[in-house]
Amino acid sequence: GGRGEVEGVGGKKLNPNDHDLSTSSQTMMAAATPPGGMWEVRWRKVTKVLEYDQNMFEDCRDCECDEAMEASDEAAVKQARGNSNGAHDVLHPTEEGARAAALLRMQALRGQLKKTGGTAVTDGGDEHPAEDSGSFVDFTPFLWEDHQHELGLPRNGLGLHFQRVFWGADPCEADNWNKCEVRVDVWVARREF
């Protein structure tokens, strides 16, 4: 081959001086992609307050109530070490490889939840244990929800799903116990080129 040439699809020589490199690169990548595309890992972690401690609102004006709820929402997200969504940069040629990577992603996301586990005990002695549900090892179907697409979740398919209900998110550390939930979904998706 000539100097600076790259062998393209079907043995055709590509010369970077004669062709648009991005088109040539896309052609070569498409030729290297297994039939049916590659697989990627996607995830979504969302934290929210389910029930606000009514003690927060004693002697509050309406605008102060809104501020207290907003501060509690932020505290819940902070306690769960942030919300996130995204996709891995690494693509996998097989669904099995992507599922193995998805298991590792779920493990990492669950590892962020250390401050949401255990049992919260109020000054009055009431105990509020964290409650876990879902499958973070077995791929199970997504449960249909009317707002699922708005959440950025697929409408069908299999994924890893984990939910934890926990108590806390007290921004003022005034012994207020808000009931919170963190939901983690990890799934694999085929990416066509």
Side-chain angles (χ1 to χ4, degrees), residues 132-145:
D132 294 347
S133 62
S135 175
F136 50 88
V137 176
D138 298 317
F139 285 80
T140 58
F142 279 90
L143 300 176
W144 176 253
E145 299 177 26

Side-chain angles (χ1 to χ4, degrees), residues 1-77:
R3 185 177 181 157
E5 291 180 341
V6 176
E7 187 169 322
V9 178
K12 181 179 177 185
K13 302 293 182 189
L14 301 175
N15 185 328
N17 298 322
D18 297 335
H19 292 73
D20 175 41
L21 277 178
S22 62
T23 304
S24 300
S25 298
Q26 288 174 353
T27 304
M28 287 187 292
M29 183 176 213
T33 302
M38 300 284 278
W39 292 88
E40 70 181 347
V41 175
R42 298 179 183 171
W43 72 89
R44 190 162 201 310
K45 176 182 163 199
V46 178
T47 309
K48 62 184 176 182
V49 176
L50 299 174
E51 295 174 17
Y52 296 95
D53 187 330
Q54 294 306 303
N55 293 325
M56 286 192 332
F57 306 116
E58 289 180 10
D59 302 323
C60 283
R61 293 178 286 165
D62 286 344
C63 64
E64 294 171 328
C65 290
D66 291 342
E67 290 172 6
M69 289 189 300
E70 188 175 313
S72 294
D73 293 342
E74 290 172 6
V77 171

Side-chain angles (χ1 to χ4, degrees), residues 159-176:
L160 302 168
H161 316 283
F162 177 76
Q163 287 176 275
R164 173 173 288 164
V165 174
F166 65 96
W167 296 83
D170 181 8
C172 300
E173 298 181 10
D175 196 36
N176 293 320

